[in-house]
Amino acid sequence: MKKSALQKARASYQPKLPIALQGPVKVVEGRPTESVADQAAIKALFPNTYGLPEIRFEKNATPTPGKPINVGVILSGGQAPGGHNVICGIFDGIKKIHRDSRLFGFLMGPSGLVEHKYIELTAPIIDEYRNTGGFDIIGSGRTKLEKVDQFNKGLEILKELGISALVIIGGDDSNTNAAVLAEYYKANNAGVQVIGCPKTIDGDLKNGLIETSFGFDTATKVYSEVIGNIQRDCNSAKKYWHFIKLMGRSASHIALECALQCQPNICLISEEIQERDMNLDDIVRYIGDIVISRAAEGNNFGTVLIPEGLIEFIPEFKRLIGQLNEVLGANKDKVAGMDEAALTQFIFDNLDQQNLAALKKLPANVAKQLMLDRDPHGNVQVSLIETEKLLSGLVADYVANNADFAAAKGKFSPLHHFFGYEGRCADPSNFDADYCYSLGYNAAALINAGVTGYMSSIRNLVKPAVQWIPGGIPITMMMNMERRNAEDKPVIQKALVRLDGAPFLHFAAKRDEWAHNTCYMYPGPIQYFGPAEVCDQPTLTLKYEHKDK
Amino acid sequence: MKKSALQKARASYQPKLPIALQGPVKVVEGRPTESVADQAAIKALFPNTYGLPEIRFEKNATPTPGKPINVGVILSGGQAPGGHNVICGIFDGIKKIHRDSRLFGFLMGPSGLVEHKYIELTAPIIDEYRNTGGFDIIGSGRTKLEKVDQFNKGLEILKELGISALVIIGGDDSNTNAAVLAEYYKANNAGVQVIGCPKTIDGDLKNGLIETSFGFDTATKVYSEVIGNIQRDCNSAKKYWHFIKLMGRSASHIALECALQCQPNICLISEEIQERDMNLDDIVRYIGDIVISRAAEGNNFGTVLIPEGLIEFIPEFKRLIGQLNEVLGANKDKVAGMDEAALTQFIFDNLDQQNLAALKKLPANVAKQLMLDRDPHGNVQVSLIETEKLLSGLVADYVANNADFAAAKGKFSPLHHFFGYEGRCADPSNFDADYCYSLGYNAAALINAGVTGYMSSIRNLVKPAVQWIPGGIPITMMMNMERRNAEDKPVIQKALVRLDGAPFLHFAAKRDEWAHNTCYMYPGPIQYFGPAEVCDQPTLTLKYEHKDK
């Protein structure tokens, strides 16, 4: 692999570890835990791994002799910056425990375990990937590990390789599955521990115990860099409105963090739109009125951040999408062969009046996307809907009919952007490089402590890395029961943006000023070699959430 | 203005100057020059500014006493990283000549001169903008300075402010206009010198004397950062083909530089497509065959870079666009009131058979864009045509009908990106920060030398900044006559990608390997504080073009 100058320079970066992990550790057990909700149901489903204590690692005066461990690792789901450093941390951690320990990587996600596709991750391979972005060291995939025959198939190869612990690096669903797998292997005395690691750029895997998922820091910094650049352009040319959609699935954490970083004129927060029961007209009016008021000041330019999941949070469309998914799901075979016209008619005939009205409100191309572009499960592909163009088109109509806008000789020229893939595989920021390496190193300590069904946890993240607190959280503790595909399932609660949380409240207090004045911030690109105040800052979301620490 | 941590840290960066500009300078005059072509015609149009000598500045042992100068500055056209540093360089340069010198900035481009809109740029203002991206210090605009009444109107305010020299920072057209203005003021003894500065991210303002325009370095580094990130994602997920369109107007310099930096599977070069007379089918076949061959290896992923101006270089569409512009231009009033259907019919009736066939080959939405989305002059808005989607759609059809692709169980899932506004206002790289500051500082030296109609020139750019060679090039020297809007006009030759140039030849020698193997490079974000091999590298285009220096 030919390397860029930055990759070469960055290869020698030594990620910072919490002081407690820098030498021998001792395990400090907390009290038995409960799940966040539905305790009885969760306990019944996880008889062997429910109620375990939280664990904290502390510095130990005397080293305890370790024995060699073989460990397997899986990258699950979408890429997030720092995944390679988690693996490097595991490698260094188990080698520190015993030099004969070995690490195996299963290829292209959980399917690698089931299909027995793997490589041994040796020191030369590991060294190629230190502090780099991407998941290309072993690849990733979206196969869900949730069936007993998958577990048994996986166990065959784990036994064959002498692997006694498996680390699953993934988002909320993958960690849920890690807990199920841990329970299954424990119940069957399989002799394999399972440890999870909190990964997702979306930032929606966090709670009282997991302060943030890795990758969120780097991804939002990349998006903030390009948003900042666009804003500087916008404020120089003074003639475009930039509509910028941001990845992040359901939750609006990414959009909110970028808004805090960049201070755009407008940022929509899906959770607020749902809470306030705003329909599409309300949203268009909110944006349009700001466009008109800026035009009155002679400012025919601005920026709008739009979370990817928006459309599913607008109550009228949530309802429409729900019925579309239901109708098409229930008639999967029937609609499979239909041409566009027939399918459109079928949908029109099967929607209720309210949903039909919502559908007909949409411009033809968006309505078509909703009806026709569906994933293999028959679901609407929300991420493909060009909400940025939908909104700018409706705003154009709104301002065109406004007398104040005409009187101000207002102009409205929108441009559109969607950022997502630009940030998922960026080289990790110092924060993510350190955090990920610590999560992996800490996972090795959890394995050495003999536990299973735990998520690797590093806390106190707003402080310098040496002061971070390593430990483990029983995954069952984060679970509740939710209705998924007509079944009640134990799942880790997804963290949406809290409207009573400090990050949102900070944004809400400032947004009117940002809308009408031009208060753009230009964060610039991630820096790796400069002063700490430039290179080592966590997200503003994390700072505001943990301000009092 | 609230500043980001990076902006604060970056404010204190002291741009590097060529050694020759670090103290008193002496002027070394070369021999009289000739224009690159059409010498007689150019000479006739520029009797007072034609044939001037090239100028080089050298270190002088003894300082010559300077007197105060009032200078005006204009930012013209699209933003490019480093514009602020040109202005800072001018400011510091004229202050060094005499502390009572003053700098005035005309607002929102050349129209500021004509409409007498300006601010004085004082030290506190200048200090706010050192080493920052954007043109927001005084704004920019696209008004063309080409009429005598504009020149006279401008002269009024220049006289009023006691300005004896005007610096125009712009691309090829703006520098052409600077030359015309210089000639006019000289011919009329107006007592105002005019100096140009080579600006454009597109990289198409260069020649034997101007090695590169400023902004190209930073913009291509930003694009290469995000392309690299996408490629790492692509190589991790292994399931998407990313079609990435890149800004750059006509020339493919940006796409080529990004290809050299990132080593994508495919990069289209418009100039080559024109030279080889490739039509749309040829291009689709070229991409499609690589998609098929990669699928046969199990690699259903890849990256394709597409220059913004592509469509105008495909001979069949160049011809079509030409006739469309002609027909609609000649019937401007007639078509103004037509609805979509009538206009479409009018176009169908007025195109020749060959062009009608080319138009009908296109998917409906692209044909519609060509026919209906036109700028105020009636021209096709090439930058709005989604060539990335056009190509991926046609490639999808092509591979769907291929037996090898079916046999390999190939999959083709395209994703689309367009990068442009992300790079035009980025914080300048060290290279652009140094180059721009030197261009501005050097412009002050040219003013002090009493010349007019010169472009500020800094050469030897592949060497460290101290070794750069400052001087001035008569703008007329870069000119030839070209047909524009049915008139022969003197213009600076636009530099397209040379198919016999080292950058293209390097790319051409490697592209087959890059297509079939996966050789992605990940340049990462621009660094400002690290080792020189990471922070201070010029573009590969510049390196290859000046390899033997």
Side-chain angles (χ1 to χ4, degrees):
Chain A
M1 180 162 53
K2 195 175 149 195
K3 288 184 178 169
S4 68
L6 177 61
Q7 272 178 284
K8 284 180 208 155
R10 189 72 180 148
S12 61
Y13 176 74
Q14 181 54 50
K16 300 182 270 292
L17 272 180
I19 190 109
L21 290 180
Q22 288 176 14
V25 298
K26 69 172 177 221
V27 179
V28 180
E29 280 194 10
R31 280 182 301 182
T33 58
E34 293 274 6
S35 62
V36 286
D38 309 311
Q39 290 81 5
I42 307 284
K43 186 173 182 178
L45 289 163
F46 296 90
N48 296 283
T49 52
Y50 186 86
L52 298 171
E54 271 183 61
I55 280 177
R56 210 174 66 227
F57 292 119
E58 292 185 0
K59 216 173 156 63
N60 203 355
T62 49
T64 41
K67 51 185 200 343
I69 342 170
N70 286 3
V71 172
V73 63
I74 295 173
L75 290 164
S76 179
Q79 282 77 250
H84 288 161
N85 263 25
V86 177
I87 294 176
C88 296
I90 299 170
F91 181 84
D92 291 352
I94 61 172
K95 286 288 184 187
K96 184 90 176 191
I97 290 162
H98 196 286
R99 52 186 279 183
D100 292 335
S101 296
R102 295 168 72 189
L103 182 62
F104 296 89
F106 292 98
L107 300 177
M108 299 312 292
S111 64
L113 177 70
V114 180
E115 296 165 9
H116 298 192
K117 291 183 179 155
Y118 66 92
I119 53 167
E120 181 168 359
L121 294 166
T122 56
I125 298 175
I126 290 289
D127 288 345
E128 283 286 292
Y129 289 89
R130 291 185 188 271
N131 310 309
T132 60
F135 278 9
D136 42 308
I137 187 170
I138 49 175
S140 182
R142 295 193 183 272
T143 302
K144 289 189 193 307
L145 268 189
E146 47 189 5
K147 300 207 179 91
V148 165
D149 59 340
Q150 292 174 315
F151 302 166
N152 289 333
K153 200 80 191 136
L155 192 56
E156 288 173 16
I157 189 68
L158 295 172
K159 287 287 164 203
E160 189 180 319
L161 297 171
I163 290 174
S164 61
L166 185 64
V167 181
I168 296 177
I169 302 169
D172 51 346
D173 283 346
S174 302
N175 276 284
T176 293
N177 294 340
V180 175
L181 187 63
E183 173 67 26
Y184 181 82
Y185 284 164
K186 185 87 175 278
N188 291 280
N189 288 315
V192 178
Q193 301 161 253
V194 182
I195 302 292
C197 272
K199 172 232 71 171
T200 168
I201 64 160
D202 303 341
D204 58 3
L205 170 48
K206 66 176 173 184
N207 48 54
L209 305 157
I210 300 296
E211 295 181 357
T212 189
S213 55
F214 79 76
F216 177 69
D217 184 88
T218 307
T220 53
K221 283 185 167 113
V222 174
Y223 304 144
S224 296
E225 174 199 354
V226 289
I227 295 166
N229 288 356
I230 288 171
Q231 291 192 149
R232 193 128 209 178
D233 202 291
C234 182
N235 193 30
S236 299
K238 299 189 191 291
K239 61 181 176 183
Y240 296 117
W241 271 89
H242 292 267
F243 283 68
I244 305 168
K245 189 170 73 171
L246 295 165
M247 215 177 233
R249 298 224 168 193
S250 300
S252 304
H253 297 293
I254 288 181
L256 178 56
E257 171 66 21
C258 292
L260 293 169
Q261 292 280 352
C262 300
Q263 306 188 172
N265 300 105
I266 296 171
C267 175
L268 303 177
I269 301 295
S270 304
E271 292 84 344
E272 182 187 26
I273 283 162
Q274 176 165 280
E275 174 68 24
R276 296 171 73 179
D277 198 12
M278 292 170 78
N279 62 27
L280 190 56
D281 295 335
D282 297 327
I283 298 170
V284 169
R285 190 178 314 115
Y286 170 67
I287 300 173
D289 287 345
I290 292 173
V291 170
I292 293 163
S293 127
R294 286 181 63 83
E297 304 283 323
N299 296 322
N300 289 301
F301 64 93
T303 50
V304 185
L305 305 189
I306 303 160
E308 180 182 26
L310 176 68
I311 200 132
E312 286 188 297
F313 284 77
I314 303 174
E316 58 183 332
F317 294 107
K318 187 178 184 176
R319 203 173 166 278
L320 167 63
I321 290 167
Q323 200 185 15
L324 271 174
N325 284 341
E326 207 176 281
V327 166
L328 294 175
N331 296 282
K332 224 169 165 177
D333 298 333
K334 197 166 177 179
V335 299
M338 288 185 183
D339 67 9
E340 192 178 318
L343 182 58
T344 304
Q345 193 55 51
F346 179 82
I347 289 170
F348 282 9
D349 293 343
N350 282 277
L351 289 181
D352 65 31
Q353 283 311 309
Q354 192 183 346
N355 285 334
L356 195 58
L359 184 65
K360 290 192 166 170
K361 230 182 190 179
L362 293 170
N365 61 330
V366 179
K368 203 169 140 179
Q369 279 177 320
L370 269 181
M371 290 188 289
L372 306 178
D373 291 346
R374 315 186 70 78
D375 73 13
H377 308 287
N379 292 316
V380 172
Q381 295 192 276
V382 178
S383 72
L384 293 184
I385 296 173
E386 298 183 306
T387 31
E388 65 281 22
K389 290 187 182 167
L390 167 64
L391 289 173
S392 77
L394 295 171
V395 168
D397 295 342
Y398 180 81
V399 301
N401 293 316
N402 182 280
D404 294 340
F405 191 70
K409 297 207 168 88
K411 282 179 194 152
F412 178 70
S413 302
L415 291 170
H416 306 95
H417 313 266
F418 171 44
F419 298 121
Y421 297 96
E422 295 77 1
R424 306 197 316 174
C425 285
D427 289 322
S429 61
N430 282 356
F431 175 87
D432 268 329
D434 298 346
Y435 180 42
C436 289
Y437 186 77
S438 297
L439 282 171
Y441 207 92
N442 184 64
L446 287 168
I447 291 167
N448 199 39
V451 299
T452 190
Y454 278 69
M455 193 182 292
S456 179
S457 149
I458 303 286
R459 298 165 70 177
N460 211 26
L461 294 170
V462 291
K463 290 289 165 61
V466 286
Q467 297 175 41
W468 290 352
I469 300 165
I473 311 292
I475 300 176
T476 52
M477 193 179 171
M478 306 171 203
M479 285 184 160
N480 65 174
M481 300 300 291
E482 286 180 23
R483 194 93 190 150
R484 300 261 176 107
N485 297 325
E487 264 185 278
D488 286 324
K489 288 212 162 182
V491 296
I492 297 176
Q493 267 187 332
K494 204 183 264 300
L496 298 181
V497 169
R498 293 181 60 130
L499 302 185
D500 59 353
F504 178 80
L505 291 174
H506 185 91
F507 162 73
K510 294 282 187 181
R511 65 177 150 188
D512 282 345
E513 188 191 339
W514 297 350
H516 298 287
N517 303 319
T518 301
C519 306
Y520 300 151
M521 291 279 287
Y522 314 119
I526 293 174
Q527 296 297 303
Y528 299 106
F529 306 101
E533 65 272 19
V534 176
C535 299
D536 292 330
Q537 298 305 313
T539 58
L540 290 175
T541 300
L542 202 52
K543 278 195 190 173
Y544 292 138
E545 282 176 345
H546 298 272
K547 213 179 172 178
D548 304 327
K549 273 200 180 168
Chain B
M1 181 162 52
K2 198 176 147 193
K3 288 184 178 169
S4 68
L6 177 61
Q7 272 177 285
K8 284 181 209 154
R10 188 72 179 149
S12 61
Y13 176 74
Q14 180 55 50
K16 300 183 269 293
L17 273 180
I19 190 108
L21 291 181
Q22 288 176 15
V25 297
K26 68 172 177 219
V27 179
V28 180
E29 280 192 10
R31 281 181 301 181
T33 58
E34 294 273 6
S35 62
V36 286
D38 309 311
Q39 290 82 4
I42 307 284
K43 187 173 180 178
L45 288 162
F46 296 90
N48 297 283
T49 52
Y50 186 86
L52 299 171
E54 271 183 62
I55 280 178
R56 209 174 66 228
F57 292 119
E58 291 185 359
K59 217 173 156 60
N60 203 356
T62 49
T64 42
K67 53 183 195 347
I69 341 169
N70 286 4
V71 173
V73 63
I74 294 173
L75 290 164
S76 179
Q79 281 77 249
H84 288 162
N85 263 25
V86 178
I87 295 176
C88 297
I90 299 170
F91 182 84
D92 290 353
I94 61 171
K95 286 289 184 186
K96 184 91 176 191
I97 291 162
H98 196 288
R99 51 185 281 186
D100 292 335
S101 296
R102 295 167 72 187
L103 182 62
F104 296 88
F106 292 98
L107 300 177
M108 300 312 292
S111 64
L113 177 69
V114 179
E115 296 165 9
H116 298 190
K117 290 184 181 155
Y118 66 92
I119 53 166
E120 181 168 359
L121 294 166
T122 55
I125 296 174
I126 290 290
D127 288 345
E128 283 287 291
Y129 289 89
R130 291 185 188 273
N131 310 308
T132 59
F135 278 8
D136 42 309
I137 187 170
I138 49 174
S140 183
R142 295 192 184 272
T143 302
K144 289 188 195 304
L145 269 188
E146 47 189 5
K147 301 207 178 91
V148 165
D149 60 338
Q150 291 174 315
F151 302 166
N152 290 332
K153 199 82 190 133
L155 191 56
E156 288 173 18
I157 188 69
L158 295 172
K159 288 290 164 200
E160 189 181 319
L161 297 171
I163 291 174
S164 62
L166 186 63
V167 181
I168 296 178
I169 303 169
D172 52 346
D173 283 345
S174 303
N175 276 285
T176 293
N177 294 339
V180 175
L181 187 63
E183 173 66 25
Y184 181 81
Y185 284 163
K186 185 88 175 276
N188 291 278
N189 289 313
V192 178
Q193 301 162 250
V194 182
I195 303 293
C197 272
K199 172 231 72 172
T200 168
I201 64 161
D202 303 342
D204 57 4
L205 171 47
K206 66 176 173 185
N207 48 55
L209 305 157
I210 299 296
E211 295 181 358
T212 189
S213 54
F214 78 78
F216 178 68
D217 184 89
T218 306
T220 54
K221 283 183 166 113
V222 173
Y223 304 144
S224 295
E225 173 200 355
V226 290
I227 294 166
N229 289 356
I230 287 171
Q231 290 192 151
R232 194 128 211 178
D233 201 289
C234 183
N235 193 30
S236 299
K238 298 188 192 292
K239 62 180 175 183
Y240 295 116
W241 271 89
H242 292 267
F243 283 68
I244 304 169
K245 188 169 73 172
L246 294 166
M247 217 177 232
R249 298 226 168 191
S250 300
S252 304
H253 297 293
I254 287 181
L256 178 56
E257 171 66 21
C258 292
L260 294 169
Q261 292 282 351
C262 300
Q263 305 187 173
N265 299 105
I266 295 171
C267 175
L268 303 177
I269 301 294
S270 304
E271 291 85 345
E272 182 186 28
I273 283 162
Q274 176 165 281
E275 175 69 25
R276 298 171 72 180
D277 198 11
M278 291 170 78
N279 63 27
L280 191 56
D281 295 336
D282 297 327
I283 298 170
V284 169
R285 190 178 315 112
Y286 170 67
I287 301 173
D289 286 345
I290 292 173
V291 170
I292 292 163
S293 129
R294 287 181 63 83
E297 304 284 324
N299 295 322
N300 290 300
F301 65 92
T303 50
V304 186
L305 306 190
I306 303 160
E308 180 183 26
L310 177 68
I311 199 131
E312 285 188 299
F313 283 78
I314 304 174
E316 58 184 331
F317 293 108
K318 188 179 181 175
R319 203 173 166 280
L320 166 62
I321 290 168
Q323 200 184 17
L324 271 175
N325 285 341
E326 208 176 280
V327 166
L328 295 176
N331 296 282
K332 224 169 165 180
D333 297 333
K334 196 166 178 179
V335 300
M338 288 185 184
D339 67 9
E340 193 177 319
L343 182 58
T344 304
Q345 193 54 51
F346 179 81
I347 289 171
F348 282 9
D349 292 344
N350 282 278
L351 289 181
D352 65 32
Q353 283 311 310
Q354 191 183 345
N355 286 334
L356 195 59
L359 184 63
K360 289 192 167 168
K361 231 182 191 181
L362 293 169
N365 60 330
V366 179
K368 202 170 141 180
Q369 279 178 321
L370 270 181
M371 291 188 287
L372 308 178
D373 291 345
R374 315 186 71 78
D375 73 13
H377 308 287
N379 292 315
V380 171
Q381 294 193 276
V382 179
S383 72
L384 293 184
I385 296 173
E386 297 183 308
T387 31
E388 66 280 23
K389 291 187 182 167
L390 167 65
L391 288 174
S392 77
L394 295 170
V395 168
D397 295 342
Y398 180 80
V399 302
N401 294 316
N402 182 280
D404 295 340
F405 191 70
K409 296 206 168 91
K411 280 178 193 153
F412 178 70
S413 303
L415 291 170
H416 307 94
H417 313 266
F418 171 44
F419 298 121
Y421 298 94
E422 294 77 1
R424 306 197 315 173
C425 284
D427 289 321
S429 61
N430 282 357
F431 176 87
D432 268 329
D434 298 346
Y435 181 43
C436 289
Y437 186 78
S438 298
L439 282 171
Y441 206 93
N442 184 64
L446 287 168
I447 292 167
N448 199 38
V451 300
T452 190
Y454 277 69
M455 194 183 291
S456 179
S457 149
I458 303 285
R459 297 165 70 176
N460 210 27
L461 294 170
V462 292
K463 291 289 164 62
V466 287
Q467 298 176 41
W468 290 353
I469 300 165
I473 312 291
I475 299 176
T476 52
M477 192 180 171
M478 307 171 201
M479 286 184 161
N480 66 175
M481 300 300 291
E482 286 180 23
R483 193 94 189 145
R484 300 263 176 106
N485 297 323
E487 264 184 277
D488 286 324
K489 288 210 163 185
V491 296
I492 297 176
Q493 266 187 332
K494 205 183 263 301
L496 297 181
V497 169
R498 292 181 60 129
L499 302 184
D500 60 353
F504 178 80
L505 291 174
H506 185 91
F507 163 73
K510 294 284 187 178
R511 65 176 151 190
D512 283 346
E513 187 191 340
W514 298 349
H516 298 288
N517 303 318
T518 300
C519 307
Y520 301 151
M521 291 279 287
Y522 315 118
I526 293 175
Q527 296 297 302
Y528 300 105
F529 306 100
E533 66 272 20
V534 176
C535 299
D536 291 330
Q537 298 304 312
T539 59
L540 291 174
T541 300
L542 202 53
K543 278 195 190 174
Y544 291 138
E545 281 176 346
H546 299 271
K547 212 179 173 178
D548 303 326
K549 276 203 177 165

